[in-house]
Amino acid sequence: MFLIRRTVYHSLVEREILFTGIGGQGVQLAARTLAEAAMADGRRVQLFASYGGMMRGGNSDSFLVIADRAITLPPVVGTAWAAVVMHHEHAADVWAKLRPDSIAIINDSVVEPNSRPNNSAVEVVEVPALDIASEVGSPLAASLVLVGALVARTDLVSADALLDGAAKVLPSYRSEAAAVNREALAAGLKIGETTHPAWELSVA
Amino acid sequence: MTERRPDGLTVLPSDVAPTDAIQVADFTPDLVDVGEHHLCPGCGEPIAIRAVMDGISLLGLADKCMAVFGIGCSTAFSNNLDVEVLQALHGRAPSVATGVIRMRPELAVFTIQGDGDMANEGLQEVLHAAARGENIVCIMLNNGVFGETGGHLTVTTTIGQRTKNTIEGRNAAEHGHPMRIAEMLAQIDGVGYVARGAVNDAGNVARTKRMIVDAFTAQQQQLGLSFVEILTMCPTGWFIPTDEAPAYLAETIAGTHAVGVLRSELT
Amino acid sequence: MTTRLVEGSEVVADAMVRAGCRFFAGYPMTPFTEVLEHMATALPPVGGVCVNAESELEAVGMVWGAAAAGTRAATGSTGQGLSLMQESIAEASLAGIGFVVLNMARGQGDYFQATRGGGHGDYRTPVLAPSGPVEVAELMAEAFELADRWRNPVVVVGDYYMAHTWVDIETPGEVPEPPPAPEWSLDGHSGGSGAAKLVSPLGTAKRRDGVGYDLAAHYEGCAQRRREMTAGITPRAELVETDDAEVVLVAYGTMARYADAAVSALRSEGHRVGLVRPITLWPFPEAQVKAAADGSAGVVAVYENNAGQMIDDVRLSLLGSSPVVGLNSFATDSSAFGIAPDVTVENLTASVRELLSEFGQDAT
Ligand SMILES: Cc1ncc(C[n+]2csc(CCOP(=O)(O)OP(=O)(O)O)c2C)c(N)n1
Ligand code: SF4
Ligand SMILES: [Mg+2]
């Protein structure tokens, strides 16, 4: 059987967001919270989660694509529009993939000062995420503070959808963390004004 | 030459056919098809399998059961039976039986494996199935050798037993120690019944048949895994004359692998 | 219908349950583990059984039993675990017991294991290779149909990317009922009838018929069934922009998604590049590869995440009619899960540009 297909070339707005950290830092939770929020906004998502067999301490990366139409990109993207960096250990690949017009949200509490984007055109937002998360009552929610900050700077998803995402991604045995996670997101949303609108070019 | 036994019965030498004998009855059980098989004369396995079939007949399970056979000499007997047979690979019968019982829990599912099959190749399978409490009956035909491949040592071969690789008899220093499988299974939570029988004489055959009935009864009562080890003769693999095999079993094997009921949850 | 964010391995599990799978057994190993976890949750509500087997040997044994008892059944693992299962997969083919085996591979190094049969003896298994979670549902139903139709194990190939890619998919409605048990299967009720059934890799003839196990006849019967199966399965491939392509890429599974994106990128720059994506790896879509190459292709480039395995099948398809090159030197990441950081659309595009300058019309 022959299935012959023509590729369709369209000017699709796809937003690629890279997440990196080490196991236990909440990287996957943050990526999924953002993905759920984008879906609630009516957008399409694809999320590739890469972690090294170990639940704690190994690398933990996520490749999230949010788009207005069905996503054709393969799981690992070669270049990206944004990064959420929880730890410097595996950040080199992320820095290398950031396009000049991109934005990087950095966990300033952990990431070493010499670990920064290769390209000086990338907008860098340094967030004392651990301190902020501790203030709202859960240092474990630092990754969500960063996601909140990303949304504050980009309007990538609506604030309501993001806050609602907190409860959606938790398994039933961890549902009691939803309230504090929501606060961590809210605290992140207060970090700054929109500098990098995600969907200005959108032709949805 | 006609001998007289102490009890006065006549014993005919086996190489002389009684010319005036007539067949008065066919004692082949219902579930064993008449027909040739290729097991050796004096082999204990057909006797053991027949005892199993008798037990199934007695309990009326013929159309509610499934036999899962391992690979060994007894495999050659599996298509002589009038019960459903699912052939498993060497060592794998308890898992295969698990797949069956989980989907057809109403059946009397049982395995028939040799000692090489169950205790060498697949020992973990029966232990795990027992611990999972799979509601099946596992039968191990224990002759202490790989009969099928030519009489090689197994993990149950007793000290002093002749096998192809221990032709002067197994000795612990050189060949290691025998494992007692029934004893091992008896202490696992999840078993309903564990016994060891033998087919070296009529008394033991009768006892073994009762064990089989009890094992299937435990299975019908959903008591977990039931296990019956049956000591069988293998004159070919022991490299001894056929008629010496029953006594050899009693003297060389049953000392280590004692016949009896080791555990019963039947009430 | 609601749209949910679902992990690829859950899509795989859901597809199996929808395809009628009611028995699953497995032993954890990345990236197969999550499929097992999802099956453990998905099967009980539909009356199915999932066993966390104590080893891969036991998992495939259980599936042998459940499938022989008339249930649609499946197991799986990644490379190492599948190596342990090979004896049973090979012999199940001789016993005429069909079930589905998932190979959630690490990279594509198990292509030979899947397509040549990693086990012993004269057997083959149909192999299906979905490109990602979205295609799994359709192909899984087909895998179970093939296993039933040919009474043979069927391999479905996935990988870490497929297992770990979350997608937004519509949750379909009610789970359909599985088909009835096939006629040859065992239910325990034929005993005592004088014609009790037998399922065995050694044959099914009974001693009382005067035959017993006639291995020669049985193996000839198996060979005949295999010949019919080979002829009876239509090889499938997706062809993307191949009719005027100067460089024809051949890639399967996740790698095909990179190749597909590279074709789009290069076409939008005006380059004549196409893709053949085999969907059945066995039987291999030889005619499709040949047809694509016989157009204007200067070269056929096989893009796979291994040191070159499918390239053999591509060469056999072409029998020397076009030059064939392998695009397969990637660094793998330290997890050894087959995530090759060099596998990106950008890197592939660069490689294809080099091929165009060597074999394309602009070649000097
Ligand atoms: C995987 C595998 N290894 C080896 C064999 C060869 N083999 C066939 S039967 C057998 C031993 C059988 O011994 P046992 O289970 O004690 O049965 P017996 O012949 O003594 O009745 C062996 C090793 C096989 N069939 N499969
Ligand atoms: S070799 Fe031993 S077990 Fe096998 S048939 Fe002969 S006597 Fe029986
Ligand atoms: Mg034996």
Side-chain angles (χ1 to χ4, degrees):
Chain A
M1 192 194 309
F2 283 63
L3 288 171
I4 301 185
R5 183 162 65 71
R6 303 249 146 230
T7 52
V8 187
Y9 315 114
H10 41 63
S11 54
L12 173 66
V13 180
E14 284 174 321
R15 294 303 181 207
E16 316 90 342
I17 306 102
L18 306 180
F19 293 75
T20 184
I22 57 176
Q25 281 190 307
V27 169
Q28 303 304 335
L29 184 81
R32 281 182 42 217
T33 305
L34 188 54
E36 287 282 3
M39 279 176 66
D41 281 349
R43 292 209 157 83
R44 304 298 306 267
V45 302
Q46 172 180 286
L47 170 64
F48 173 59
S50 167
Y51 42 87
M54 302 167 269
M55 289 300 269
R56 308 235 179 297
N59 76 304
S60 183
D61 298 296
S62 240
F63 303 77
L64 173 63
V65 182
I66 302 176
D68 285 333
R69 284 180 241 182
I71 293 162
T72 51
L73 285 177
V76 175
V77 293
T79 71
W81 168 84
V84 172
V85 179
M86 283 295 289
H87 200 283
H88 47 260
E89 185 78 22
H90 303 280
D93 288 345
V94 171
W95 301 141
K97 283 185 174 177
L98 285 178
R99 291 192 294 264
D101 65 341
S102 63
I103 178 167
I105 315 288
I106 297 174
N107 176 14
D108 206 30
S109 315
V110 171
V111 178
E112 285 172 352
N114 60 0
S115 180
R116 287 295 179 270
N118 308 346
N119 194 314
S120 58
V122 174
E123 181 184 347
V124 171
V125 183
E126 293 167 348
V127 181
L130 255 179
D131 302 341
I132 298 174
S134 304
E135 272 164 36
V136 303
S138 172
L140 289 174
S143 63
L144 297 173
V145 175
L146 292 194
V147 168
L150 174 68
V151 173
R153 296 298 180 118
T154 62
D155 295 331
L156 183 59
V157 297
S158 65
D160 287 346
L162 185 66
L163 294 173
D164 291 346
K168 285 188 192 159
V169 296
L170 289 176
S172 53
Y173 56 87
R174 282 193 57 206
S175 56
E176 75 287 348
V180 70
N181 286 357
R182 192 180 169 99
E183 280 188 51
L185 290 166
L189 281 170
K190 290 194 197 111
I191 298 173
E193 298 291 304
T194 311
T195 53
H196 234 86
W199 306 109
E200 221 160 45
L201 306 172
S202 175
V203 285
Chain B
M1 185 192 66
T2 305
E3 277 179 52
R4 292 228 157 237
R5 283 177 27 168
D7 56 9
L9 288 177
T10 306
V11 178
L12 291 174
S14 62
D15 55 345
V16 180
T19 46
D20 52 353
I22 51 158
Q23 185 177 335
V24 291
D26 178 359
F27 290 105
T28 312
D30 290 351
L31 300 178
V32 177
D33 285 338
V34 188
E36 60 172 308
H37 65 73
H38 294 161
L39 282 78
C40 309
C43 177
E45 293 190 351
I47 309 170
I49 293 171
R50 176 181 167 159
V52 174
M53 291 303 123
D54 282 344
I56 286 169
S57 273
L58 199 76
L59 294 172
L61 294 173
D63 61 351
K64 302 174 201 59
C65 73
M66 197 187 303
V68 179
F69 267 78
I71 299 277
C73 286
S74 62
T75 310
F77 210 79
S78 64
N79 59 0
N80 282 64
L81 303 181
D82 196 24
V83 295
E84 280 192 13
V85 171
L86 174 56
Q87 181 62 51
L89 298 183
H90 196 49
R92 308 289 145 231
S95 299
V96 171
T98 297
V100 177
I101 196 74
R102 291 297 187 102
M103 298 324 292
R104 299 200 177 270
E106 72 286 1
L107 296 184
V109 178
F110 63 102
T111 66
I112 294 190
Q113 298 173 271
D115 51 322
D117 187 298
M118 178 182 275
N120 277 48
E121 187 75 296
L123 180 57
Q124 62 170 5
E125 301 234 344
V126 70
L127 297 178
H128 292 152
R132 286 196 308 268
E134 301 296 346
N135 195 44
I136 56 177
V137 177
C138 291
I139 311 270
M140 181 173 94
L141 308 180
N142 184 6
N143 52 17
V145 283
F146 289 169
E148 163 99 20
T149 55
H152 309 97
L153 173 92
T154 74
V155 300
T156 70
T157 305
T158 55
I159 300 299
Q161 187 183 331
R162 282 162 69 84
T163 73
K164 191 173 262 176
N165 7 30
T166 63
I167 205 75
E168 301 303 328
R170 180 177 197 165
N171 76 74
E174 225 180 311
H175 312 117
H177 298 273
M179 293 174 86
R180 293 178 183 83
I181 306 303
E183 281 78 354
M184 197 181 271
L185 277 153
Q187 46 86 35
I188 293 179
D189 296 332
V191 299
Y193 181 85
V194 178
R196 182 184 286 115
V199 294
N200 59 321
D201 61 33
N204 272 341
V205 170
R207 287 172 82 185
T208 303
K209 222 175 266 187
R210 281 198 297 277
M211 290 169 178
I212 289 165
V213 169
D214 284 349
F216 276 94
T217 306
Q219 195 271 346
Q220 293 294 293
Q221 293 181 10
Q222 316 252 332
L223 297 179
L225 188 137
S226 294
F227 178 74
V228 184
E229 175 177 334
I230 306 176
L231 304 178
T232 58
M233 294 76 75
C234 177
T236 311
W238 299 344
F239 305 97
I240 57 172
T242 304
D243 58 351
E244 288 173 19
Y248 188 86
L249 187 155
E251 286 152 21
T252 314
I253 297 179
T256 302
H257 301 299
V259 172
V261 177
L262 286 89
R263 176 164 171 176
S264 174
E265 304 295 324
L266 283 168
T267 45
Chain C
M1 284 198 199
T2 48
T3 305
R4 284 201 307 135
L5 182 64
V6 186
E7 192 182 30
S9 45
E10 185 178 346
V11 179
V12 173
D14 186 66
M16 286 195 283
V17 174
R18 284 178 184 284
C21 180
R22 289 296 176 273
F23 184 90
F24 193 80
Y27 186 90
M29 185 167 185
T30 305
F32 162 75
T33 311
E34 287 85 347
V35 179
L36 176 59
E37 290 170 1
H38 289 300
M39 287 307 269
T41 338
L43 278 175
V46 295
V49 174
C50 178
V51 184
N52 198 76
E54 290 84 351
S55 71
E56 287 86 352
L57 293 171
E58 287 159 278
V60 71
M62 292 174 194
V63 165
W64 177 295
T71 307
R72 284 198 165 179
T75 183
S77 185
T78 187
Q80 287 83 336
L82 283 157
S83 290
L84 289 176
M85 292 185 190
Q86 291 302 327
E87 184 197 15
S88 288
I89 295 171
E91 294 277 337
S93 176
L94 299 180
I97 302 175
F99 48 81
V100 169
V101 181
L102 293 179
N103 183 347
M104 300 303 287
R106 299 179 169 189
Q108 296 187 324
D110 300 342
Y111 181 89
F112 282 156
Q113 186 194 51
T115 60
R116 300 310 194 258
H120 61 285
D122 191 12
Y123 81 107
R124 298 305 291 250
T125 50
V127 184
L128 304 180
S131 64
V134 175
E135 201 182 29
V136 161
E138 174 203 341
L139 287 189
M140 200 58 82
E142 188 172 337
F144 280 94
E145 291 298 329
L146 289 172
D148 269 6
R149 166 73 184 81
W150 298 107
R151 296 182 57 182
N152 204 82
V154 172
V155 176
V156 177
V157 173
D159 60 7
Y160 188 96
Y161 294 104
M162 189 198 284
H164 281 234
T165 301
W166 295 69
V167 288
D168 49 357
I169 57 163
E170 287 183 348
T171 318
E174 292 220 333
V175 175
E177 280 297 307
E183 225 217 302
W184 60 267
S185 66
L186 302 176
D187 60 9
H189 299 326
S190 68
S193 65
K197 291 182 186 175
L198 168 64
V199 171
S200 166
L202 302 169
T204 53
K206 289 281 196 163
R207 186 82 64 187
R208 67 160 169 270
D209 305 327
V211 224
Y213 285 131
D214 182 343
L215 289 176
H218 177 59
Y219 290 151
E220 176 45 36
C222 291
Q224 181 56 27
R225 184 159 49 82
R226 187 188 126 186
R227 281 190 284 271
E228 285 166 17
M229 176 172 80
T230 309
I233 301 177
T234 311
R236 284 177 61 182
E238 183 185 31
L239 272 59
V240 183
E241 304 265 16
T242 46
D243 38 10
D244 66 341
E246 292 176 340
V247 172
V248 172
L249 290 166
V250 185
Y252 76 93
T254 303
M255 296 298 277
R257 298 184 55 198
Y258 290 91
D260 199 343
V263 168
S264 290
L266 289 160
R267 281 276 168 183
S268 62
E269 293 169 16
H271 295 298
R272 285 156 52 189
V273 178
L275 166 69
V276 182
R277 176 173 73 88
I279 297 171
T280 54
L281 300 184
W282 190 88
F284 193 74
E286 294 182 348
Q288 290 91 323
V289 170
K290 178 87 169 110
D294 281 353
S296 43
V299 65
V300 175
V302 186
Y303 186 54
E304 35 180 350
N305 190 356
N306 55 35
Q309 297 192 11
M310 184 173 68
I311 195 168
D312 286 12
D313 284 332
V314 173
R315 287 200 179 105
L316 283 170
S317 307
L318 298 175
L319 294 174
S321 64
S322 298
V324 179
V325 299
L327 301 177
N328 42 17
S329 56
F330 314 117
T332 51
D333 78 337
S334 56
S335 69
F337 291 156
I339 310 157
D342 301 351
V343 172
T344 61
V345 177
E346 290 74 12
N347 287 352
L348 175 57
T349 311
S351 304
V352 174
R353 279 203 190 89
E354 275 175 37
L355 289 176
L356 281 163
S357 65
E358 193 179 339
F359 295 95
Q361 275 181 354
D362 313 335
T364 43

